[in-house]
Amino acid sequence: MTTHAVESLFPRLEPLLSEVSKPVQYIGGEQNAVVKDWDAVQVRWCLMYPDAYEIGQPNQGVAILYEVLNEIDWILAERSYAVWPDLEAKLREHGIPQFTLETHRPVGAFDLLGFSLSTELGYTNLLNALDLAGIPLHSAERTEEHPIVLVGGHAAFNPEPLADFIDAAVLGDGEEASLRIADIVREWKAEGRPGGRDEVLLRLAATGGVYVPRFYDVDYLEDGRIRRVAPNRSGVPFRVTKHTLMDLNAWPYPKQPLVPLAETVHERYSVEIFRGCTRGCRFCQAGMITRPVRERSIETIGSMVEQGLRATGLEEVGLLSLSSADHTEIGEVAKQLADRYEDEFVSLSLPSTRVDAFNIDLANELSRNGRRSGLTFAPEGGSERMRRVINKTVDEDDLIRTVATAYKSGWRQVKLYFMCGLPTETDEDVLAIADLAKRVIDTGRAETGTRDIRCTVSIGGFVPKPHTPFQWAGQLDVETTDARLQKLKDAIRADKKYARAIGFRYHDGKPGLIEGLLSRGDRRVGRVIEAVWRDGGRFDGWSEHFSFDRWITCATRELAEFGIDTDWYTTRERDYDEVLPWDHLDSGLDREWLWEDWQDALDEIEVDDCRWTPCFDCGVCQQLDTEIQIGPTGKTLLPIPQVRPDLG
Ligand code: SF4
C-alpha cells in the first residue's frame, strides 16, 4: 500500500496499444467514469473483474460497488480487467504492471484489490493479474507495501481453492460490506498501521463477516477427507457469516452506470428488481445463497430506470433478478414501463422467465416497443421425473400451452434450456428432451399453420455447487456426459421432419468437470490452479483458451502426494458425515435442511416456493430475524407522465 504519489502508466502503455487487438478496451474514459484525486482520499479500492472487458464491464456487482464506494469522499474506486494474451506479452516485455482503466495507475498501488468472482474458471486469470501487478502470488509473502487482496461474488462462497492467494473473502451482498472494510482500513492507516498486515486482517476477521483463510487451519484424515477446520487465533469466529442487504430501496444502485466504449456482452441499463429466490431449484447455487427474497419497490424501479436511461443514453432496459417474472408487481412494472416509453425507442427485456401463460402476456408487453425475437424458457430437466428431482416444477402440458400462446402471439423462435448430468439421470431422461422439442415444433406449426417455426435446445453440463442440496452429489463423468449428449443429438437429427427446425447447442463435459473440481475443491486444489497458470493457463472460461489436458495433467501431478485426484473431487458422492471445505462459511442455510432436501431429491419429492406457502425452515430468515420481503404494494411506477416527444 503506497501513500506517495503514483504516476499514470499511460505514457508507457499507449505506444503498445496499436500493436494489440481491441485496444479501445484498455483506454478508459467511459461516460460516467469517476476520476478522483489520488492524494485527496484515504482509502483506495481497485475493483477487478478477472475476465476481458467485454464480459466484465457489464457486471452488475462491480457497477454497484464502483458507485457506492466513489460516493464517499474519502474513498476512490477504480476498475481493472484481465488483459488479453497479446497485451500481456507486451506488458511483460516492457515491465509494465497490471493497471486500472480510470487513471492507468498500477493495481499494486491500491490499498484494497477486490476481485469479483462469477465463475471458477476465472481463477487462473486472478493469479495472472496478481503476477502482472507485481503482487506476490501467495498471501504469506505479501508485505505492507501490497494491497489487501479480497474476493467476493458467488464463487467466493467456497474460496478454499484460492486460500493461498487471497487475503480475505467476503460472502454475500457487497454494498455495506465494502464500506465497512474501507472504514477498518482507514482507521488502521490513520493509527499508523499498528501490527502491520496481520493486524488489519485480524480486525477484518473479527467482524465475523470477512473470511481470512490464514487464520484457519485445515486438518485432513488419512483417506484425504477433511477432519476439521478451526481458527488458529483468538478473536476469530468459528463460522463466517454472509452479508445481506435488507433494504434494496435504500440502495438504488447503479444510478449512472458506465457506458462501454468497446463492444460488450450487454449494452443496456439493468435494474435489479429483486434479490434472492425461494423457488428452491436444487441445482441453483445463486438461488440458495441469495435468500431471502427482497423485492425492490415498483416506485424505486421506476425512478432507477428513469435516472439510469437519462444518465447513460442507453435504449434498452433489463429487469434483472434470478426469476424476474416472480416479482409480485411485474405485470404493472412491465405495463407501466412500456406505456411510459411508448414513443421512445426503449425496449425492455426480462432475462429469465418462468414457464406459464402469464409470461406470454408479460413478454408481449415487454416487446411492445421493441423486437419480438425469441422467448427463452428453462425447464432444465427433460423428463417430469428429472424435474421432480431438481425441484423445477414445470408441467409439460403447461409448457406446451405456453409455447402455443407464444407462437400464436407472433413469436417464431423458442429457446429451451436444459442440463445434462443431473443426479439420478438416465439416458431416457435426456432423450425426453428430443420428444419435448418435437412437441414444441408440432405445436408451433399447428398454431400458425406454417413450417417456419424454430426451437433451439441449449444444454449445459450440470456442476454440483457448494451450499446447495446437490453439494453431496457425484458429478457425471465426461465420457458419459458426452455419450448422452451425442445420443440426444442423434435422436433430434434422425427425424427429418424436425431436424431443420430444432437447433441444438451444447458444450462437451470437459470444462464442466474442471469447474466441478474448482467449485468443490479445498486448499489442496490451489496447487493445481497455480500449476495450470504457470503452464500458461489463462481465460479458461473461453473454449479457445481452455485446455482440459493441461488441467488433468497438473491435477494428477499436484494431487498425487495426497492420494487423491480429479475424480475424487468431482464424481465422488459425499456422505452426511463428511466435513465439506466450506462448512465453516455460513450462507444462512441450515445444513440439516440442505441434507433433507437432498434426500427429498433422491425420493423425487418436490418442495413448494416458500413465498406462497408456510416457511420450510431453511434457516435464512430465522438467522437474519426477518421475513421474505414481497408486495404487492398497490403503488404505481412513477408520478412522471408518459414520454411524448411529439408534445415536446
Ligand atoms: S427461512 Fe423459510 S421463508 Fe425464509 S427463505 Fe427459508 S424457507 Fe423461505
Side-chain angles (χ1 to χ4, degrees), residues 208 223 263 393 474 479 487 517:
D223 64 7
E263 200 176 305
T393 48
E479 294 72 25
K487 280 182 195 161
L517 166 71

Side-chain angles (χ1 to χ4, degrees), residues 583-598:
D583 273 347
H584 57 300
L585 302 174
D586 189 356
S587 60
L589 296 158
D590 181 49
R591 196 181 198 268
E592 292 300 320
W593 179 82
L594 285 173
W595 177 261
E596 279 164 26
D597 207 40
W598 169 224

